[in-house]
Amino acid sequence: MQTEKQTSKLSYINVAALYVGTIMGAGFASGREGWQFFGIFGTKGYIGLIFATLMFAFIGMIICYIACTKGTDDIAVVIVGEEHPLIGKIISTAISLMLYPVIISMSAAGGSFLNQQFGVHRAVGAAIIIFLVIFTILGDFERISKVFKKIVPILFVIDVALCAIVSFSDIKQSGATEGFTPSNMAPNWLIAAVVFVTYNAIALAPILGTAAINSKDRKHAVIGAGLGGLLLGILTIVLVTALRKDMAFSDSMDLPMLAYSQRISWVANLLFGGVLFAAIYSAATSVFYGFTVMIPEGPKKKPIIVVATLMGFLGSLTGFKVIVSFLYPFEGYIGVVIIGLMVWNFIKTYREDKKKNEQ
């Protein structure tokens, strides 16, 4: 929700940074999602990538358009409008429940990171992510937006640079180049592309709605969202191209790009390790913020947030690779319905706004 402390207005660059930072979590930055939803399908995956890029830009833009036009970041109003309060309540509750597992997956990713990088127990990395998220979330939207302004450009540049180094390196295929087993929930490139975008859009909607009403104006919000979607698409294409250098190796790793950085040099590994951990933190913070805004204001809100994150820590011990394969596609199917409702609400909002301007 918009806070009284919020004084500065976000430009389109700031909105784009929030967009990218929300989605650019462990699964995205590490290449795990890129491999699972696109790389695994070979060259057909690139068709899915182009489709996903356009969907990312479109969905982000309509979220910002609706939020700015209606002057609210109430996720129920953004999705179904204010004339359907009961449906809106059901939808907002469903989204809240779907956002909560992100703290599980991102803390699991933190555990996988330190385990793969240094061999320490998964619980250590998960606990660090939980602590950082609690510290940031108990602040406000201003604190979150400041963090994203600083770290997202650095994350993006270093991630793209490493992917380029891997793509042009002399790394050879170490095994099979086809025949990899996709998730049962995303069996082909088209379904994979759709659920990839829709489950990410669920995580995106609350934070981007808040960014929209805190932007300089509707133009900055909409352009920023479109730019953010295009940047995500470019990054995914670059990631998948790098992952195809050694497809069997990519398929075997929880965090494949981290593993590639280890093969290049200790400097690359150190830089990318920092990027990946920051990406885990940024995604966990932004998405969990979307969950916390659903909690009613009051003296019990902060204790609920702390308890919820600690429960997420326990759930994270399941393992990151398992979560990406099954939980993300499942949420993507639910997201298809939610995005469909949002598109219909956008059409109604656009017509009403156009009619109002003509009068």
Side-chain angles (χ1 to χ4, degrees):
M1 297 294 181
Q2 191 172 8
T3 69
E4 294 181 359
K5 295 181 180 179
Q6 179 73 19
T7 56
S8 61
K9 292 295 184 178
L10 304 180
S11 68
Y12 68 93
I13 295 295
N14 302 144
V15 174
L18 279 163
Y19 193 136
V20 175
T22 300
I23 306 302
M24 193 179 170
F28 197 100
S30 72
R32 184 67 245 170
E33 291 177 30
W35 174 257
Q36 188 69 53
F37 291 95
F38 302 104
I40 205 168
F41 300 109
T43 54
K44 290 183 179 178
Y46 284 105
I47 303 174
L49 270 171
I50 294 171
F51 179 61
T53 300
L54 296 175
M55 286 182 66
F56 267 133
F58 174 70
I59 291 172
M61 292 170 77
I62 67 172
I63 290 172
C64 286
Y65 181 89
I66 297 170
C68 288
T69 302
K70 294 184 178 292
T72 181
D73 59 355
D74 185 328
I75 194 62
V77 175
V78 171
I79 293 174
V80 296
E82 58 278 326
E83 65 269 27
H84 302 292
L86 179 59
I87 297 175
K89 181 66 176 178
I90 293 171
I91 291 293
S92 61
T93 301
I95 289 178
S96 180
L97 294 174
M98 292 169 70
L99 290 177
Y100 179 69
V102 173
I103 195 64
I104 299 176
S105 63
M106 289 301 99
S107 54
S112 291
F113 168 75
L114 289 188
N115 178 260
Q116 185 170 313
Q117 188 81 333
F118 304 110
V120 300
H121 195 279
R122 294 176 185 273
V124 177
I128 294 174
I129 290 296
I130 290 294
F131 172 79
L132 291 173
V133 169
I134 291 175
F135 172 76
T136 308
I137 290 295
L138 293 183
D140 53 28
F141 182 77
E142 179 74 9
R143 178 184 291 177
I144 295 172
S145 64
K146 283 181 178 178
V147 169
F148 277 53
K149 289 176 189 177
K150 293 176 180 178
I151 70 172
V152 169
I154 298 172
L155 302 185
F156 189 88
V157 170
I158 294 179
D159 209 5
V160 169
L162 177 64
C163 290
I165 291 170
V166 171
S167 297
F168 291 103
S169 69
D170 60 355
I171 294 174
K172 306 297 182 184
Q173 298 287 350
S174 62
T177 57
E178 59 183 14
F180 301 104
T181 304
S183 168
N184 291 331
M185 304 287 286
N188 61 62
W189 66 266
L190 179 57
I191 294 176
V194 171
V195 298
F196 175 71
V197 173
T198 53
Y199 85 74
N200 274 307
I202 292 171
L204 178 69
I207 192 77
L208 196 55
T210 303
I213 64 170
N214 284 293
S215 62
K216 292 182 177 180
D217 52 38
R218 188 170 70 182
K219 183 178 180 180
H220 275 270
V222 173
I223 292 176
L227 177 61
L230 293 176
L231 288 174
L232 280 170
I234 292 170
L235 180 56
T236 312
I237 291 171
V238 172
L239 275 167
V240 171
T241 300
L243 294 170
R244 287 171 55 81
K245 287 293 291 187
D246 187 348
M247 299 174 77
F249 180 73
S250 298
D251 189 61
S252 67
M253 292 291 168
D254 269 18
L255 307 172
M257 286 307 299
L258 181 64
Y260 275 113
S261 72
Q262 291 172 328
R263 293 175 67 173
I264 295 172
S265 71
W266 70 268
V267 175
N269 182 237
L270 181 64
L271 284 173
F272 188 74
V275 166
L276 184 56
F277 203 74
I280 295 169
Y281 160 66
S282 70
T285 300
S286 58
V287 178
F288 197 61
Y289 171 82
F291 169 78
T292 63
V293 297
M294 310 289 184
I295 303 172
E297 294 293 335
K300 295 183 179 179
K301 181 169 182 175
K302 288 186 177 181
I304 290 173
I305 291 173
V306 173
V307 171
T309 51
L310 293 177
M311 290 177 63
F313 165 73
L314 296 176
S316 72
L317 302 179
T318 304
F320 184 58
K321 190 174 180 180
V322 174
I323 292 172
V324 172
S325 297
F326 296 100
L327 178 62
Y328 285 10
F330 172 74
E331 292 197 348
Y333 282 103
I334 300 175
V336 170
V337 177
I338 293 174
I339 296 304
L341 292 171
M342 190 187 300
V343 170
W344 176 243
N345 189 33
F346 163 70
I347 293 171
K348 291 191 299 178
T349 302
Y350 178 78
R351 288 175 176 172
E352 291 170 359
D353 189 46
K354 184 178 180 182
K355 185 177 180 181
K356 181 180 178 180
N357 291 331
E358 289 176 348
Q359 291 177 347

